[in-house]
Amino acid sequence: EPEVTQTPSHQVTQMGQEVILRCVPISNHLYFYWYRQILGQKVEFLVSFYNNEISEKSEIFDDQFSVERPDGSNFTLKIRSTKLEDSAMYFCASKGAYEQYFGPGTRLTVT
Amino acid sequence: GIQVEQSPPDLILQEGANSTLRCNFSDSVNNLQWFHQNPWGQLINLFYIPSGTKQNGRLSATTVATERYSLLYISSSQTTDSGVYFCAVGERGGGSQGNLIFGKGTKLSVKP
């Protein structure tokens, strides 16, 4: 069964460093998303991406964040200068016609 | 924006018991999904159910869109059902590209 994959599963970085989180969505899906979940809290929407451009973003998705689909399979989230409060689980999701499917997540720890 | 409220926040069951989890939402939706977050943090799709009733094994779900709520039923619970159950909705209209708004979840613990 097709699934969304994410790498790495865990990333530890120092405050102020840049990180890139990678995702491979399900191959025939056209809508892509990033969400984050701070430990013990609910899942929050960050950004949606369709037709090679951002279609919607939340207040969390400020100038420190960017997304890219560099080729036909990968979808990346870049955090330019990480802060302590960026520590969270980051989920990638993709959608075909109806429901969204989530990847296993990347746990980002900023020290 | 749309509000999603889940109840109860915590639930402890004995193995074999049945349970009902509730999700209320404050506005019309074009998408409603139930997820199980397992102890490893993975979000497992349970149901895509913007309206109607579906069943999958011991789990079933019902959404009454006109009354803005959805119910998730778990029958004959097993210890592997433990985890957090999230309801997530997509807003109807307003130019939404389908992003999901999650509730705070129901944490289920099934004791052997």
Side-chain angles (χ1 to χ4, degrees), chain B residues 33-55:
Chain B
Q33 293 184 236
W34 281 97
F35 297 90
H36 174 216
Q37 187 165 43
N38 64 23
W40 296 271
Q42 294 177 309
L43 287 167
I44 309 300
N45 285 45
L46 296 178
F47 293 101
Y48 166 77
I49 188 163
S51 64
T53 298
K54 289 186 178 179
Q55 179 153 9

Side-chain angles (χ1 to χ4, degrees), chain B residues 3-112:
Chain B
Q3 305 296 313
V4 182
E5 300 288 335
Q6 290 188 245
S7 59
D10 296 279
L11 187 58
I12 300 174
L13 296 176
Q14 213 53 43
E15 201 169 23
N18 303 329
S19 62
T20 301
L21 282 56
R22 186 176 181 102
C23 172
N24 292 333
F25 42 96
S26 61
D27 208 341
S28 300
V29 299
N30 60 9
N31 182 5
L32 191 145
Q33 293 184 236
W34 281 97
F35 297 90
H36 174 216
Q37 187 165 43
N38 64 23
W40 296 271
Q42 294 177 309
L43 287 167
I44 309 300
N45 285 45
L46 296 178
F47 293 101
Y48 166 77
I49 188 163
S51 64
T53 298
K54 289 186 178 179
Q55 179 153 9
N56 184 3
R58 296 181 297 102
L59 302 182
S60 62
T62 295
T63 297
V64 183
T66 52
E67 297 187 21
R68 299 181 184 164
Y69 73 89
S70 183
L71 302 173
L72 177 69
Y73 305 97
I74 305 173
S75 64
S76 304
S77 57
Q78 301 175 357
T79 55
T80 51
D81 295 332
S82 296
V84 183
Y85 289 80
F86 286 106
C87 167
V89 304
E91 286 187 271
R92 180 182 297 280
S96 170
Q97 294 301 314
N99 55 288
L100 292 174
I101 299 157
F102 281 72
K104 292 184 178 180
T106 291
K107 184 177 180 181
L108 175 65
S109 300
V110 181
K111 306 296 185 186

